[in-house]
Amino acid sequence: MTAVIGLILGVVVGIFIKPDIPIWLQPYLPIMVVAALDALLGAARSYFERTFNDRVFVISFLSNVITAALLVLLGDQLGVGSQLTTAVIVVLGIRIFSNVSAIRRFIFRG
């Protein structure tokens, strides 16, 4: 519950403060947000399945965000940044939809 409150608080603070994103971070931010969303939905799924572990969530969250950013950085260095970004978005999108469908099944199953 603390993580959810922290997430809501962070979103509200971000909306009102409107922080400036450094130029060098702007290409990586969207992919990092999608990776973070994947980790959050994976945590929600594991919570509903009663297998949630806070340590696993923190490691998953950080590793997803860092790995996604590093893959985009590698793609930029190789000159195929947009293709690699698209591939990462597709993979994370599949995982997000899989987690959402599992959560939906759990909610409607009762």
Side-chain angles (χ1 to χ4, degrees), residues 1-17 40 57 61:
M1 191 56 140
T2 305
V4 173
I5 293 171
L7 177 66
I8 293 170
L9 184 64
V11 168
V12 170
V13 168
I15 288 172
F16 287 114
I17 293 179
L40 287 171
F57 167 67
F61 186 88

Side-chain angles (χ1 to χ4, degrees), residues 33-49:
V33 169
V34 172
L37 184 60
D38 172 52
L40 287 171
L41 289 171
R45 178 181 183 174
S46 66
Y47 175 79
F48 286 125
E49 293 173 348

Side-chain angles (χ1 to χ4, degrees), residues 6-81:
L7 177 66
I8 293 170
L9 184 64
V11 168
V12 170
V13 168
I15 288 172
F16 287 114
I17 293 179
K18 297 182 183 177
D20 291 328
I21 308 295
I23 296 293
W24 62 269
L25 186 62
Q26 288 179 0
Y28 307 106
L29 189 61
I31 195 82
M32 293 167 72
V33 169
V34 172
L37 184 60
D38 172 52
L40 287 171
L41 289 171
R45 178 181 183 174
S46 66
Y47 175 79
F48 286 125
E49 293 173 348
R50 303 202 191 285
T51 59
F52 179 77
N53 183 330
D54 57 344
R55 291 180 182 169
V56 171
F57 167 67
V58 170
I59 296 298
S60 172
F61 186 88
L62 293 175
S63 65
N64 274 10
V65 170
I66 292 169
T67 302
L70 289 176
L71 281 172
V72 173
L73 177 65
L74 177 65
D76 286 344
Q77 297 297 318
L78 294 173
V80 292

